[in-house]
Amino acid sequence: MNATAKSILKKFLSLCVVIRYFNKVKRPYLYYYRDTYYCKLIQLTYFIKDYVTKPKYKEISYHGEFGTEIMFALPFAYWHYKNKTLKSTKSSKFTKELYFFSENHEECFDKRNNEGNKNAEIPRILFSQDYDISKWERVPLKEKYANDIFVFEKPILIIANKYNSEWGGPPISFFSTELLSFIIDNLKDKYTIIYSRPQPQNITIDENDTYELFDLEFLSSNYPEVIHLDDLYSKNKSKVNNFNHLQLMVYANADRFISIHGGTASFASYFGGINLILSKQGVEHYFGCFHKLFPQLSGARILHAKTDDEVKKYVTEYFVNG
């Protein structure tokens, strides 16, 4: 399908969506409805190859945000691998271990960008009113990377934080030092707590600016028993290929996660157990992603907190008393 045909099809679908959902769906969300139908139609063009002749033909390239990649692009690639139609994959730096199943994986992109999120060649990109995804297969990262290296006396609890710009503005969802104190004070006797807020040199950055929270200094001064994931990487570089590889191995040995809206939350949802997500706003709320999509990644139990007080409530109910 050429660019002109795609443009005409999108305009037609936009008209259909407006007519069908007029006064039923708020205008900002109509975009996602249209793209859901557009992605479905694109996949119909591959019906013969995917279900009848099944040659090893599929070349998947993705350079959008990390969270979107592991929710949609990675399971799509794994479906093609299981379907025996996957030819190659391309993604950002430090992703070879994510695409462990791909015979031909290239790390082509030095930076992720928002434009990459709009890759309509993937059956469901960004968020949607429909998460009944046919070409989508759960990727067994936990089974692949479980190990006897990162094992501690107490069960692992991972706190995955971030402090980045969101939607072109300041950080909205993050664990403040006050909230970190509450979590750690209540859980340090029960769990080996590992704190993850990766430094830019260890990951492939995107277009969101990172701000200084001074959390690492705060934790080092007040909670020396908390293990920093970056420190763990520095001490174990000989045992892993890169930071993402270490992260996969550590997460695979854990069953309890407390994470933040975005890539940290979607990644933590890959490893079963319980994942408590702090998300104060976002289109994920409207589409019910934390209840419809995130549990599909591994079968994890997802707890969605919209406020700091809800985080405290869930920590007490599911991590202290659970």
Side-chain angles (χ1 to χ4, degrees):
M1 189 184 300
N2 60 37
T4 301
K6 288 180 179 179
S7 177
I8 293 172
L9 177 57
K10 281 188 175 182
K11 290 179 180 178
F12 173 73
L13 290 174
S14 294
L15 178 62
C16 291
V17 166
V18 169
I19 292 172
R20 179 175 180 182
Y21 296 103
F22 183 73
N23 284 340
K24 296 179 181 178
V25 176
K26 293 181 180 179
R27 189 173 185 84
Y29 301 123
L30 293 176
Y31 163 88
Y32 298 96
Y33 280 69
R34 182 204 67 182
D35 273 19
T36 294
Y37 296 128
Y38 181 64
C39 289
K40 284 186 174 184
L41 289 174
I42 291 292
Q43 289 305 308
L44 285 178
T45 65
Y46 299 109
F47 182 86
I48 299 296
K49 286 184 177 180
D50 286 343
Y51 296 107
V52 182
T53 58
K54 300 180 72 169
K56 186 176 284 190
Y57 80 99
K58 199 65 179 181
E59 298 175 311
I60 298 173
S61 179
Y62 184 85
H63 62 280
E65 292 178 330
F66 177 67
T68 308
E69 177 168 25
I70 60 177
M71 283 189 291
F72 303 113
L74 186 62
F76 177 53
Y78 192 64
W79 182 89
H80 273 285
Y81 163 74
K82 298 285 283 186
N83 196 49
K84 304 187 185 304
T85 46
L86 182 65
K87 181 179 180 181
S88 65
T89 51
K90 294 180 181 180
S91 185
S92 303
K93 292 187 302 182
F94 311 128
T95 56
K96 182 178 180 180
E97 288 72 26
L98 285 173
Y99 292 87
F100 66 89
F101 51 86
S102 176
E103 294 180 3
N104 301 292
H105 181 71
E106 295 182 55
E107 297 179 344
C108 303
F109 311 113
D110 293 328
K111 186 175 181 179
R112 299 175 177 275
N113 62 57
N114 294 336
E115 194 63 28
N117 295 346
K118 302 175 183 178
N119 184 351
E121 286 291 325
I122 296 171
R124 184 75 69 258
I125 202 65
L126 293 177
F127 304 103
S128 170
Q129 73 277 17
D130 176 11
Y131 286 118
D132 181 15
I133 307 171
S134 58
K135 298 178 186 178
W136 190 100
E137 185 78 20
R138 181 180 293 178
V139 187
L141 294 182
K142 190 177 185 73
E143 293 79 3
K144 171 66 177 178
Y145 291 104
N147 61 88
D148 57 8
I149 298 174
F150 300 106
V151 178
F152 304 88
E153 290 185 9
K154 294 180 288 186
I156 296 172
L157 165 70
I158 292 175
I159 302 175
N161 201 3
K162 72 170 187 176
Y163 195 57
N164 300 341
S165 61
E166 298 185 74
W167 302 290
I172 296 171
S173 297
F174 61 92
F175 297 128
S176 64
T177 53
E178 183 275 330
L179 189 52
L180 288 173
S181 290
F182 176 88
I183 294 170
I184 297 168
D185 286 339
N186 280 277
L187 300 180
K188 63 183 179 180
D189 293 335
K190 188 173 181 179
Y191 299 97
T192 295
I193 299 177
I194 299 178
Y195 185 72
S196 174
R197 190 164 78 85
Q199 299 307 293
Q201 66 270 21
N202 290 330
I203 59 174
T204 307
I205 60 173
D206 56 26
E207 295 178 343
N208 296 315
D209 294 326
T210 300
Y211 299 98
E212 185 51 69
L213 185 59
F214 299 105
D215 49 335
L216 300 180
E217 296 85 349
F218 172 79
L219 293 175
S220 296
S221 298
N222 295 277
Y223 299 100
E225 66 272 35
V226 172
I227 300 170
H228 299 185
L229 198 61
D230 284 285
D231 291 343
L232 203 60
Y233 175 53
S234 298
K235 295 175 182 177
N236 291 276
K237 284 187 176 181
S238 63
K239 301 175 183 176
V240 298
N241 300 330
N242 50 57
F243 179 84
N244 274 355
H245 187 202
L246 173 127
Q247 190 169 224
L248 283 161
M249 294 178 71
V250 174
Y251 276 56
N253 283 4
D255 290 305
R256 294 294 183 272
F257 306 87
I258 301 177
S259 61
I260 291 291
H261 174 110
T264 63
S266 50
F267 184 67
S269 300
Y270 256 90
F271 300 93
I274 298 176
N275 182 20
L276 167 54
I277 300 170
L278 174 60
S279 174
K280 295 183 177 180
Q281 72 176 57
V283 70
E284 293 92 336
H285 296 208
Y286 176 82
F287 287 116
C289 300
F290 298 118
H291 306 294
K292 296 177 181 178
L293 174 62
F294 280 55
Q296 294 189 48
L297 295 171
S298 70
R301 181 168 192 173
I302 306 299
L303 307 173
H304 174 203
K306 297 179 182 178
T307 65
D308 289 3
D309 285 340
E310 286 189 354
V311 170
K312 295 177 181 179
K313 173 180 174 292
Y314 284 134
V315 164
T316 302
E317 184 176 351
Y318 289 94
F319 292 80
V320 176
N321 299 326

